[in-house]
Amino acid sequence: MLLDIALFGLAFLLAIPAITGYFAYSHGRSFWLWFTLGCFFPFIANIILAILCWKVARKEERRRVGTLTRYEDGYMGVEITKVVKAHPRHQDNPS
């Protein structure tokens, strides 16, 4: 009876680190590293891992075509201005 309670308690205590390790593994990180961190810092490790995964997802979103950073947006504006000034419009109405 006491052994059953001890094993159930151990399984309960290792559930959170196992979830942390699985979450890390599913996002391309080391299972055992995050399992160990989850053993010592159960909730903090989950929060840190969630933030790291969010940053990677945000970085991937920025790589998509059509999403420009401020630098790229400014650079494109300068280049468009150069092209427009180099080739002015011709007016059809002679005044």
Side-chain angles (χ1 to χ4, degrees), residues 1-2 6 20-21 23-24 26 28 36-37 49 59 66-67 74 84-85 88-89 91-92:
M1 173 85 174
L2 187 60
T20 305
F23 185 59
S26 68
T36 306
L37 288 173
L49 185 61
K59 191 176 190 180
T67 305
V84 169
K85 286 182 180 177
R89 285 186 179 182
Q91 298 217 353
D92 294 335

Side-chain angles (χ1 to χ4, degrees), residues 54-93:
W54 175 74
K55 282 181 136 180
V56 169
R58 189 170 175 203
K59 191 176 190 180
E60 288 296 322
E61 181 181 328
R62 285 186 177 177
R63 287 186 187 173
R64 291 187 203 159
V65 176
T67 305
L68 300 176
T69 62
R70 286 184 189 165
Y71 172 76
E72 292 169 332
D73 192 30
Y75 177 76
M76 291 299 291
V78 169
E79 291 297 315
I80 290 171
T81 306
K82 284 181 186 177
V83 170
V84 169
K85 286 182 180 177
H87 303 289
R89 285 186 179 182
H90 298 289
Q91 298 217 353
D92 294 335
N93 301 354

Side-chain angles (χ1 to χ4, degrees), residues 9-62:
L10 183 64
F12 179 75
L13 289 176
L14 293 179
I16 293 175
I19 291 169
T20 305
Y22 176 75
F23 185 59
Y25 181 75
S26 68
H27 284 86
R29 299 186 181 274
S30 171
F31 173 84
W32 291 110
L33 172 68
W34 286 96
F35 178 82
T36 306
L37 288 173
C39 287
F40 293 109
F41 312 107
F43 297 107
I44 295 171
N46 280 327
I47 292 170
I48 291 171
L49 185 61
I51 290 171
L52 289 175
C53 292
W54 175 74
K55 282 181 136 180
V56 169
R58 189 170 175 203
K59 191 176 190 180
E60 288 296 322
E61 181 181 328
R62 285 186 177 177

